[in-house]
Amino acid sequence: MIKVVGVRFRKAGKIYYFDPAVFDIKPGQCVIVETVRGIEYGHVVLGNREIEENDVIQPLKKVIRMATSEDDQTEVENKIKEREAYEICNKKIRKHNLDMKLIDCEYTFDNNKLLFYFTADGRIDFRELVKDLAAVFKTRIELRQIGVRDETKMIGSIGICGLALCCHSFLTDFHPVSIKMAKEQNLSLNPTKISGVCGRLMCCLKYEEETYEHLNKNLPNYGDIVKVKETGLMGEVINTNIIRQLVKIVIRRPDGDPEIVQLKIEDLLIQKPNRKKGQPQVTKEEEEELRRLEALEREEKKKEQENQEDHKQKHEQKHEQKLRPKRNKPQNKGKRVNNPQKKPQDDKKKS
């Protein structure tokens, strides 16, 4: 077991673990820590606790100090600087006529680095833009391209439910979402109804997926032929209530009119499954749009995995460089120095 604290640097952002060292840290407090980007000001969301060592990426960096009132004031000043930097960067983008949309910018706590987040349809050559920004701000500049999901998470908005977006409020990670989840919950497959503000499938489709999978295991599908245990009559399924586990069937008697009844799943026996019949109908345009959404989901998930692998490799390389012993470099590097020991040999050769 290892003692850690959980620190968050952005609202609804990921939680990173740090070694609390000698500090007794509680949730709600602020700390100064060292990250890959530099010195950062973070909010503690998980106080001192012990977790398994396998759940932590080594080496675990220590908390430098508890944030003071001066540190709080510095953080406020950095936020003001970020708004000014945002306006300047937008002007530079228009000047260079770059097809990119600036989303946000942030300073590290020590002002050693300034990060700009942007979205674009493809790759952008922003080398000249970086030179201009570095000349203005006199610090290290980093431009980071993000996807539409991350853009929406940073900006925030109101969903179709009338509440603030989940990704902006409490979701720390994006989980893969598929059309199968909407089908499992018997939702409309109209892309406009199951897509979020970002234009991708809504994250909330994932919330109740496991519950619906469990409840759907025992239910018949549309068009299935079932048998009523009590009377022995056969009927065809025309509707199901997943939450209440009720099935509505139509019984066609040979000597009378069809009868519609609603029964519990325990009172029925499935005779002939007909999984294809009764599936929600979608138009050709809607089907193409659904396929496009699924392809975008897979592509963004692949990019996210590649970015995580690159970040992990860079982190391991930096750690290896720190572990390597430093070599003493000669003071007169690049200068030609006469070696007096070689002079006698040169004289012998001349003679």
Side-chain angles (χ1 to χ4, degrees), residues 55-259:
D55 298 335
V56 179
I57 300 176
Q58 298 291 349
L60 193 65
K61 295 189 177 182
K62 295 183 178 181
V63 173
I64 298 175
R65 66 176 184 273
M66 301 297 295
T68 62
S69 57
E70 295 178 356
D71 295 331
D72 296 337
Q73 182 61 32
T74 302
E75 180 67 8
V76 173
E77 292 174 357
N78 285 343
K79 295 298 179 184
I80 297 173
K81 289 180 182 178
E82 288 170 3
R83 289 195 289 269
E84 296 174 355
Y86 182 88
E87 297 297 332
I88 293 173
C89 185
N90 260 330
K91 291 178 182 178
K92 295 294 182 182
I93 290 173
R94 290 192 293 269
K95 175 184 173 183
H96 290 277
N97 196 24
L98 295 174
D99 188 14
M100 55 190 287
K101 178 184 177 183
L102 184 64
I103 304 302
D104 195 11
C105 67
E106 60 180 352
Y107 270 103
T108 56
F109 181 75
D110 54 4
N111 285 186
N112 280 340
K113 184 185 287 188
L114 178 57
L115 295 96
F116 294 94
Y117 300 93
F118 72 95
T119 58
D121 292 334
R123 296 181 66 88
I124 301 294
D125 185 4
F126 47 71
R127 287 174 292 183
E128 295 299 324
L129 174 63
V130 171
K131 291 179 182 178
D132 281 2
L133 294 174
V136 173
F137 298 106
K138 309 297 182 182
T139 187
R140 290 177 59 190
I141 303 295
E142 181 178 337
L143 270 74
R144 188 172 297 178
Q145 186 171 358
I146 59 175
V148 290
R149 282 185 180 273
D150 293 304
E151 174 190 357
T152 308
K153 181 180 178 67
M154 287 184 176
I155 297 174
S157 183
I158 303 297
I160 59 173
C161 59
L163 301 175
L165 295 179
C166 300
C167 58
H168 185 68
S169 304
F170 60 89
L171 282 184
T172 57
D173 292 306
F174 291 113
H175 298 286
V177 185
S178 65
I179 301 298
K180 178 178 174 291
M181 297 178 182
K183 293 179 180 178
E184 194 78 32
Q185 299 173 50
N186 200 23
L187 298 175
S188 170
L189 296 184
N190 187 340
T192 58
K193 293 183 178 181
I194 58 176
S195 298
V197 177
C198 60
R200 304 291 184 266
L201 294 173
M202 292 190 296
C203 297
C204 55
L205 292 175
K206 179 72 177 176
Y207 297 168
E208 299 177 351
E209 171 62 13
E210 292 183 4
T211 302
Y212 275 91
E213 283 183 352
H214 175 72
L215 294 175
N216 277 327
K217 285 181 180 178
N218 300 324
L219 283 178
N221 210 329
Y222 299 102
D224 285 0
I225 303 301
V226 295
K227 181 180 180 180
V228 182
K229 292 181 180 180
E230 185 177 353
T231 61
L233 297 173
M234 306 294 288
E236 182 180 351
V237 177
I238 59 174
N239 195 7
T240 58
N241 189 320
I242 301 174
I243 303 298
R244 295 184 178 181
Q245 294 286 281
L246 297 174
V247 181
K248 188 178 288 187
I249 63 174
V250 55
I251 300 175
R252 295 182 173 85
R253 303 175 185 270
D255 55 348
D257 297 332
E259 181 184 359

